[in-house]
Amino acid sequence: MSINENQRLSSESEIGEAKKGVGWGDYIVPVVVFVFCAVVIAIAMTLEEAIPLIVGHSMQPRVFPIFLMAVIAVLNVALIFQIVRSPVSRRDWEPIQTWASAGLLLLFFLLAKYIDTLVALVIVMFMMSIVWGERRIWVAAILALGTTAFIFFSFDQILQVRFPRGLLTDAYYG
Amino acid sequence: MLTDALGAMFSVLGDPSLLLLIFITTIGGVIIGALPGLGATTGAALLLPFTLTMDPVHAITVLTTIYVSATFAGSITAILINTPGTAAAAATCLDGYPLAQRGEAGRALGIAVVASTIGGIFSVVVLAIAAPLLARVAYEFRPPEYFALTIFGLAMLASISQGGAIRNLMGGVFGVWLATIGADATTGVERFMFGNYDLYEGLNFIPVLVGLFAISELLVQSTTLNQVFERISMKAVKLPTMADYRKIWKAVLRSCGIGTFIGILPAEGATVASMIGYSEAKRWSKTPEEFGKGAVEGVAGAEAANNAATGGAMVPTLVLGIPGSGTTAVILVGLLVHGLRPGPHLFTEQIEKVYAIFGAMFVANVMFFILGLFAAKLFARVTLVPRGMLWPVVLAFSVLGAYSLDQAMVDVYIALIFGVIGYLFRRFGFALAPVAIGLILGEMVETNLQNSLKMFDGQWWMIPMQPLAALFLVLAVLGISQPYILGYLSRRKAAQQQK
């Protein structure tokens, strides 16, 4: 196997199993990119105009982002041609653990925002250990509690980092 | 001045605290590099917040030591379990694993350690010589030249190995757009902030990098939980024999040059270097048919090149402020956070610090040589750590790392968002290094374009009229078209061979 073949295969199989033939994943990217470019350009058009400079001419703040989106759109057209010429992937859906892990990131956000960052960290670490295959509940619990405690005290005492106020931190900071 | 600089470089040897720091960080770097999924970039991004209270030299030493030691350590798992610990060790799998299957894992690791050390030290020497020389040239650069140079840096993203040219360029431009979020540096006009004044000064680099590299990797790892690694046991690492040295010395020397040169090119990195180092070792070998079956030159060529790229990649990072790779993008953020603004002025105003960093990189290469020889077997065992225990800890460090810079929860949310964005990018074949490089170059691109337009009173066509800027822009066009030219040439060659 040549080095290029190996590179291509390793890149293709990085996430999910690649199968031959055109799949939804191949065209969803260009569609999303076009929508993104259109939205950014629309927002950029609403940006306020800057006062002209006294000396020399420069560009308005909206120009550069619009230019960037135009470049991405042109590259996106090239990407579509590339996909049409050589369709590569039809991939399986993510396994349940990936959805669960993404869900735990969302759970972390909600717990950190509305309850306490440290509580969020303990709960999410514990649940992630279980989701990722740790069968010993006590190991997952010790890992979650121990890591959070270590991080809290090392950041608080050594790095002088103050954590955001919440259920536990209110009790600690007073 | 040169003697002062060299004195600063070797002052590292007389600083026990720095030596201890390099020793500990090398152990950390080798562990990080040996763990599949946790490469040099992720490791540096995770450790960056921990360096905030250190003095600049110690902080950058931590990051560069992680860089060189993790780049080497990727070879441990590449050889023993056929899974590169870092992308830069992918080429090492091709011959390292077959050697291990033949019962020669210790020999393969010994060759990897020696080749990596030679490559790393060679590149540090080149860095110490080339960086100040390039800085003198860069002193003459004005905004048009800097603008053209950053365009060249972005264009070179086209030839990064992962993803493909178009996707890489799209990722790079997306990164540049991310840098436009916040108040416009010249006019103060708010852009894409949606009323959130935490974003007034733009996106903080650290949470974005932590999200892109660490949290997205967590999601990637969650897709491979059912994967079972086949481990090959090993007695001890063996130093190469004289016969081995006779076989590999040419490949090592060639890869030292290739790796350092590739590293110096903006946006290229150790992954590209190791692939080319491996290909060239095969091309010049007297026994190319042995490649893929356990050729020691293959291991040596790939490993010397990827470590040679580490010093090379530091050249544009320090001299021009243009990251030479994903990891140097993180190191560049570290420099900025610690008040060391990369550029030619760094070499006149803070030359002692720069040379102390070079010295630390040199020592780090020696440290991983010693650790690699005597403790590689031990480090290989870190792959036995269950992922259900490792990755929740990585998540915790990611979250706290993102938070610690400004002590603002918005940075944590940004890291989480970019974790998901990074995962989706990789899911659909986009590499993340271009996004990081684009983000870091973004402000430089726009500011230098604005300043150039001011210089020429809005006449943009005057930019390519400047000779040096024109040279960089021509190189940029070549950089973009290079994958297609090479593809055309290889197709033509293949067609001729078929005839």
Side-chain angles (χ1 to χ4, degrees), chain A residues 68-80:
Chain A
L68 294 175
M69 289 305 115
V71 172
I72 290 182
V74 170
L75 289 168
N76 202 29
V77 173
L79 183 66
I80 293 170

Side-chain angles (χ1 to χ4, degrees), chain B residues 208-267:
Chain B
V208 175
L209 296 179
V210 165
L212 281 179
F213 292 113
I215 297 178
S216 80
E217 184 62 42
L218 180 146
L219 292 171
V220 170
Q221 290 293 318
S222 73
T223 64
T224 59
L225 288 175
N226 299 327
Q227 198 176 327
V228 179
F229 297 120
E230 191 187 330
R231 287 163 218 280
I232 290 181
S233 61
M234 169 190 73
K235 283 179 184 164
V237 178
K238 287 179 190 164
L239 274 173
T241 60
M242 281 311 290
D244 285 334
Y245 279 119
R246 272 196 290 276
K247 225 172 178 180
I248 65 170
W249 72 271
K250 282 183 190 167
V252 170
L253 283 184
R254 199 179 302 114
S255 286
C256 283
I258 291 168
T260 307
F261 176 73
I262 298 282
I264 289 173
L265 293 176

